[in-house]
């Protein structure tokens, strides 16, 4: 593959077409930048030369300090409901959109920074980021990508040489990430709040052209955009639920129009299965607990629908009726996606009716909840059970009689173990291993991070030397917490 050897072209389409949603801004110059980790496969997809990115100009691009002369970096404006409370002006408080890259596939993707310094949206914050949280986003987003779940991706993490004050003094870093775009529900909330119908219409046209082009030919393009986003989010959240992922901060400014997972702050994967699990240190009421994620997504989509009403129909009552019907499609679409995924996780035949599938999974999850069984381990062990050896699965449960009854019902369906092995990962970024890798990296040891990244890069493959990375936490007591990093 041919790659560029010079500073790449950065298009400024968002800044050019939607200037009311952007403030021109530049990244702070870090005192002593040092590349910590580079995603070479992603760099090649973007038609970037990894060797160049490792050099001074490349690191300058990854920190936003060495850009093409015609680049137009901006801090994006957006609003958002944060834990249910509306904030009319959020925006990129420690981030910058450098512009859009067009890779070898011809598809434009945002190049975006986190931790690049304060902006007009910082609201008194320092605009900086610590190394650990930026490496967390790198690890979790790459794990999601390897699992086949739509996501923003991390291109690189660069240590800045500037300490960051949180509870402790921590090494600072900048994350360079790539996304289909950074359009969010909050972007539409901000545009709608201005009362500028032309701005809202241009934002809709921009989103349609970039993410859901079929909507342009609909009788009501704004409604067709809503339909497309509802469908994308129904599928996305179902995929989260199937692998036990908890986003942690499902505010409207963290829901993309593209259907990609974004903003990996206090996020984590389930250890012991419990639908009430909350990992975020700031989610005191459990608003975004594991089981609440579909409901939270539907609520966010209703807020998105509200912004589009003036463009759906001139008659407000008709607009509300049409938009409400669109949002109500989320639940059945999510259920269809979830049930299809459950069918493959249990290796069940296509002829089995959906109610039986959901009942069988529900019974299994209740057994797992009562005995605090590791979510990933249990589903992976079922592949072995389908081949005749049920002991690894049975050994996870205290209620052996209950597990045996469930196994008998499930085995009667003649499950497909090969399908299950392609669906149930052996490797996820397990919480204790993530913390171990981030702590070591913060102290300058990148070895554990490298091994963890190797494990999650092929999540369905069992490989020698990575056995420890397939095991559940040895001391999971349900007290694990994650933090947003600001």
């Amino acid at each position: 593959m041919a790659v560029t050897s010079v500073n790449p072209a950065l298009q400024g389409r968002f800044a050019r077409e939607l200037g009311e949603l952007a403030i021109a801004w530049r990244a702070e110059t870090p005192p002593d930048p040092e590349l910590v980790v580079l995603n070479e496969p992603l760099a090649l997809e973007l038609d970037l030369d990894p060797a160049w990115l490792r050099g001074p100009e490349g690191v300058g691009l990854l920190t936003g300090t060495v850009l093409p002369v015609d680049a137009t970096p901006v801090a994006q404006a957006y609003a958002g409901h944060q834990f249910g409370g509306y904030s009319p002006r959020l925006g990129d408080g420690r981030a910058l959109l450098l512009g859009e890259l067009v890779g070898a596939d011809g598809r434009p993707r945002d190049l975006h920074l986190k931790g690049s310094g304060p902006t007009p949206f910082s609201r008194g914050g320092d605009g900086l980021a610590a190394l650990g949280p930026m490496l967390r986003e790198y690890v979790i987003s790459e794990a999601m990508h390897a699992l086949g779940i739509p996501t923003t991706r991390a291109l690189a993490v660069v240590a800045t040489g500037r300490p960051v004050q949180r509870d402790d003094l921590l090494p600072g870093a900048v994350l360079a990430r790539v996304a289909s775009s950074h359009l969010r529900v909050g972007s539409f909330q901000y545009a709608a709040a201005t009362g500028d119908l032309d701005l809202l219409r241009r934002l809709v046209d921009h989103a349609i052209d970039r993410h859901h082009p079929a909507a342009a030919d609909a009788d009501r393009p704004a409604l067709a955009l809503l339909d497309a986003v509802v469908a994308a989010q129904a599928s996305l959240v179902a995929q989260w639920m199937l692998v036990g992922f908890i986003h942690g901060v499902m505010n409207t400014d963290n829901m993309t129009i593209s259907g990609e997972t974004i903003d990996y702050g206090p996020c984590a994967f389930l250890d012991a299965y419990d639908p009430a699990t909350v990992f975020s240190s700031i989610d005191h009421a459990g608003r975004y607990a594991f089981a609440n994620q579909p409901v939270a997504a539907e609520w966010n989509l209703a807020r998105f629908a509200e912004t589009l009403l003036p463009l759906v129909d001139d008659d407000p009552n008709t607009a509300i009726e049409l938009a409400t019907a669109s949002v109500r499609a989320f639940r059945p679409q999510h259920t269809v996606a979830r049930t299809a995924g459950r069918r493959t996780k249990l290796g069940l035949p296509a002829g089995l009716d959906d109610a039986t599938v959901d009942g069988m999974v529900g019974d299994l999850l209740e057994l797992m909840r009562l005995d605090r069984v590791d979510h990933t381990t249990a589903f992976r062990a079922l592949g072995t059970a389908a081949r005749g050896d049920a002991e690894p699965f049975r050994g996870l449960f205290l209620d052996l009689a209950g597990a045996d009854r469930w196994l008998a019902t499930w085995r009667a369906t003649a499950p497909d173990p090969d399908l299950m092995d392609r669906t149930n990962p052996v490797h996820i970024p397990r919480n204790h291993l993530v913390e171990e890798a981030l702590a070591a990296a913060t102290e300058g040891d990148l070895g554990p991070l490298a091994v963890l990244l190797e494990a999650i890069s092929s999540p369905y493959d069992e490989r020698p030397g990575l056995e420890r990375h397939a095991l559940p936490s040895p001391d999971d007591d349900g007290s694990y917490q994650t933090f947003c990093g600001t």
Side-chain angles (χ1 to χ4, degrees):
M1 177 186 296
V3 293
T4 184
S5 59
V6 295
N7 213 337
L10 280 172
Q11 299 179 2
R13 183 181 173 190
F14 179 89
R16 183 175 64 254
E17 295 184 0
L18 299 164
E20 298 95 325
L21 303 181
I23 295 177
W25 207 252
R26 306 290 295 198
E28 283 192 348
T29 300
D32 187 19
E34 181 179 354
L35 185 64
V36 177
V37 59
L38 175 66
N39 191 337
E40 293 197 6
L42 178 57
L44 293 171
E45 286 182 31
L46 298 171
D47 203 22
L48 299 173
D49 182 358
W52 179 82
L53 286 172
R54 293 183 181 279
E57 288 189 343
V59 171
L61 173 68
L62 297 172
T63 56
T65 56
V66 180
L67 300 176
V69 292
D70 57 349
T72 55
V74 295
Q76 293 178 297
Y78 45 85
H81 278 87
Q82 298 189 308
F83 292 91
Y86 181 63
S87 296
R89 191 175 189 268
L90 294 173
D92 286 334
R94 56 170 180 164
L96 284 180
L97 172 63
L98 299 183
E100 300 92 19
L101 288 170
V102 178
D105 59 4
R107 182 163 60 97
R109 281 176 278 190
D110 285 0
L111 180 59
H112 190 260
L113 304 182
K114 289 179 73 171
S116 52
T119 76
F121 300 110
S122 294
R123 305 184 302 280
D126 60 19
L128 304 176
L131 177 62
M134 296 305 94
L135 289 175
R136 177 188 296 278
E137 177 151 345
Y138 190 107
V139 169
I140 306 295
S141 63
E142 282 306 289
M144 296 286 272
H145 174 71
L147 288 165
I149 299 173
T151 180
T152 61
R153 295 186 66 189
L155 176 60
V157 174
V158 179
T160 62
R162 177 191 289 116
V164 175
Q165 183 67 59
R166 297 294 180 255
D167 288 339
D168 300 307
L169 200 61
L170 303 170
V174 174
L175 169 77
R177 74 179 178 194
V178 173
S180 292
S181 86
H182 286 77
L183 297 178
R184 316 152 186 263
V185 170
S187 306
F188 286 78
Q189 292 180 293
Y190 186 94
T194 68
D196 186 340
L197 199 59
D198 175 68
L199 170 61
L200 182 62
R201 185 175 288 108
R202 284 186 284 120
L203 179 58
V204 166
D205 290 343
H206 182 94
I208 287 173
D209 182 67
R210 190 148 183 184
H211 299 301
H212 305 290
D217 298 325
D219 292 337
R220 291 183 169 88
L223 182 63
L225 174 63
L226 176 59
D227 290 341
V229 176
V230 166
Q233 289 293 335
S235 172
L236 176 67
V237 177
Q239 292 178 77
W240 290 359
M241 303 298 287
L242 290 165
V243 297
F245 174 73
I246 303 176
H247 184 281
V249 193
M250 291 180 65
N251 298 328
T252 57
D253 54 297
N254 289 339
M255 174 177 273
T256 62
I257 304 306
S258 65
E260 291 179 332
T261 315
I262 193 173
D263 283 348
Y264 294 93
C267 61
F269 285 75
L270 284 174
D271 290 309
Y273 176 75
D274 183 347
T277 299
V278 174
F279 288 133
S280 170
S281 64
I282 58 177
D283 191 1
H284 305 297
R287 179 182 178 90
Y288 301 136
F290 177 69
N292 291 345
Q293 293 183 127
V295 175
E298 183 182 46
W299 192 90
N300 289 349
L301 290 165
R303 307 290 76 74
F304 180 46
E306 289 167 353
T307 71
L308 300 176
L309 291 176
L311 301 182
V312 170
D313 197 274
D314 292 336
D315 178 55
N317 292 328
T318 300
I320 291 171
E321 181 180 348
L322 292 170
T324 299
S326 179
V327 173
R328 283 178 176 166
F330 174 86
R331 291 193 188 187
Q333 290 178 1
H334 173 79
T335 298
V336 167
R338 181 198 64 191
T339 302
R342 287 176 162 184
R343 189 183 299 275
T344 58
K345 285 182 79 68
L346 293 186
L348 299 174
L352 205 63
D353 66 272
D354 289 351
T356 301
V357 173
D358 286 334
M360 193 175 297
V361 173
D363 291 343
L364 172 60
L365 293 177
E366 180 60 11
L367 287 169
M368 291 167 56
R369 184 189 69 83
L370 292 171
D371 284 355
R372 291 194 53 78
V373 173
D374 184 82
H375 181 269
T376 300
T377 303
F379 279 100
R380 185 69 184 191
L382 282 174
T384 303
R387 293 183 172 90
D389 181 7
E391 289 310 306
F393 177 80
R394 294 180 76 247
L396 301 172
F397 292 86
L398 298 174
D399 182 4
L400 286 179
D404 286 339
R405 284 193 298 270
W406 187 89
L407 279 169
T409 302
W410 170 69
R411 280 173 154 172
T413 68
D416 179 351
D418 293 331
L419 175 61
M420 297 170 70
D421 285 351
R422 295 193 301 269
T423 306
N424 295 308
V426 62
H427 294 298
I428 59 167
R430 293 187 174 276
N431 300 325
H432 64 294
L433 297 176
V434 171
E435 295 303 322
E436 175 186 284
L438 300 189
T442 299
E443 296 298 322
D445 179 7
L446 298 178
L449 176 68
V451 177
L452 178 58
L453 290 171
E454 171 65 20
I456 64 171
S457 66
S458 297
Y460 303 103
D461 299 333
E462 297 183 25
R463 287 159 287 162
L466 296 174
E467 292 84 1
R468 176 171 174 260
H469 287 69
L471 298 176
S473 172
D475 53 0
D476 174 29
D477 60 2
S479 64
Y480 181 67
Q481 279 193 323
T482 57
F483 303 86
C484 68
T486 56

